[in-house]
Amino acid sequence: MSTFQQPDPKDRPARLTVGVVGAGRVGPALAASLQLAGHRPVAVSGVSDASRRRAAELLPDVPLVSPADVLQRAELVLLTVPDDALPGLVEGLADTGAVRPGQLLVHTSGRYGAKVLDPALRAGALPLALHPAMTFTGTPVDVQRLAGCSFGVTAPVELRLAAEALVIEMGGEPEWIAEENRPLYHAALALGANHLVTLVAQSMELLRTAGVSAPDHMLGPLLGAALDNALRSGDAALTGPVARGDAGTVAAHVAELREHAPQTVAGYLAMARATADRALAHGLLKPELAEDLLGVLAGGTNGTTGAGGTDGTEGNAR
């Protein structure tokens, strides 16, 4: 449940015309959310057929124009382009005179804070970095998912109230991130969310190879419980053969992966080593069992059986 209250009317931004530069998965969803709050989308730019379809679905009747025209028409402009493209876009818009004094310029990059907008600031724009900590699909469901979503907010102190008010109007919860901490903040989100998708996709592929007909049905309750436990308890939620020190079971895993899915071995070993380190540090993995386990992780399948045996039958559901 959100701990943030709706902003006082005097702190709320005036109803604004909204433009989107970069109709990827994020921009149209944020503009549609702002529209629900009373703001008015007036222009969007997009190059690919997919971006044009997204804009048409989420922002019907909003004209597709060039980026410069978006800035000409809108009081609040969302710059929702890939991280690596953002600095060049900002410099280009400022150099061509597209930026207008008093214009709110908002980017949604997790990597950058407000300083990446300095060229626009020098042209008189008001810079805001509002990064939604959410994965986007490019469909209307994204607008619903913004309810309760945290936003990493970075802005000049004098614009902080405006930035937080915009986030709250989109249904989100503002979280202030210092300029110098933006790369670390973004790395943390990528580690948790992006890598999770890779791990789940690999797990489903392996289950299909093992003969499971509905891997999503099998994994759903397990992963849901694991995520809930991790969010509640942190490292205390660690379970499984690595945390128990079952070197033989881990060796069997590595052998099977080498045979059936060699592309997953490096990731399995890296995650197992990280898990072992955390389990040791928090007293979950007994030091006397760690040696054999770390030997397996260092040398592949050439480990001993460890305390759990090789059949993996004891405690595998833990």
Side-chain angles (χ1 to χ4, degrees), residues 2-306:
S2 172
T3 58
F4 291 93
Q5 297 180 350
Q6 290 294 324
D8 188 278
K10 64 182 176 62
D11 294 327
R12 290 167 63 95
R15 301 305 88 187
L16 301 168
T17 53
V18 178
V20 179
V21 176
R25 297 181 180 185
V26 178
L30 296 188
S33 182
L34 287 169
Q35 185 174 35
L36 292 175
H39 300 286
R40 183 165 62 92
V42 294
V44 59
S45 72
V47 177
S48 70
D49 290 340
S51 66
R52 291 171 178 266
R53 285 194 300 270
R54 277 191 291 268
E57 182 176 17
L58 288 167
L59 301 172
D61 302 323
V62 176
L64 281 159
V65 299
S66 70
D69 283 340
V70 172
L71 270 73
Q72 181 63 37
R73 300 184 186 197
E75 298 163 311
L76 166 62
V77 179
L78 303 173
L79 303 179
T80 53
V81 297
D83 290 359
D84 288 352
L86 181 61
L89 172 66
V90 175
E91 290 179 4
L93 292 173
D95 289 345
T96 58
V99 179
R100 293 184 286 115
Q103 191 168 44
L104 281 165
L105 216 56
V106 177
H107 80 71
T108 59
S109 166
R111 171 184 172 186
Y112 293 108
K115 286 189 179 299
V116 71
L117 297 174
D118 276 355
L121 174 65
R122 290 191 289 271
L126 307 177
L128 306 176
L130 308 179
H131 174 251
M134 177 54 62
T135 181
F136 287 80
T137 64
T139 66
V141 72
D142 295 331
V143 180
Q144 302 171 21
R145 286 179 173 173
L146 289 175
C149 168
S150 292
F151 279 67
V153 177
T154 305
V157 173
E158 60 271 22
L159 295 176
R160 180 166 180 166
L161 283 178
E164 292 182 341
L166 284 171
V167 169
I168 292 170
E169 286 191 325
M170 287 186 283
E173 298 185 359
E175 182 72 38
W176 188 256
I177 307 295
E179 180 80 30
E180 64 272 17
N181 290 337
R182 292 289 291 207
L184 179 61
Y185 152 81
H186 194 225
L189 295 180
L191 184 66
N194 303 154
H195 296 174
L196 176 63
V197 174
T198 300
L199 291 172
V200 173
Q202 287 184 340
S203 182
M204 288 200 295
E205 288 175 356
L206 293 170
L207 286 172
R208 289 190 191 98
T209 302
V212 175
S213 59
D216 54 339
H217 181 73
M218 176 175 284
L219 285 174
L222 173 64
L223 299 186
L227 176 60
D228 183 64
N229 290 343
L231 292 174
R232 290 174 183 272
S233 304
D235 288 297
L238 280 173
T239 63
V242 172
R244 292 193 301 270
D246 290 345
T249 298
V250 173
H253 288 177
V254 176
E256 289 296 304
L257 293 177
R258 288 195 189 282
E259 179 178 353
H260 297 287
Q263 73 278 6
T264 67
V265 172
Y268 179 95
L269 290 173
M271 290 303 300
R273 291 187 191 107
T275 301
D277 289 343
R278 298 189 75 88
L280 267 172
H282 289 82
L284 301 173
L285 174 59
K286 297 178 181 178
E288 61 269 23
L289 298 178
E291 184 175 356
D292 283 348
L293 176 66
L294 295 176
V296 168
L297 298 178
T301 60
N302 298 322
T304 64
T305 60

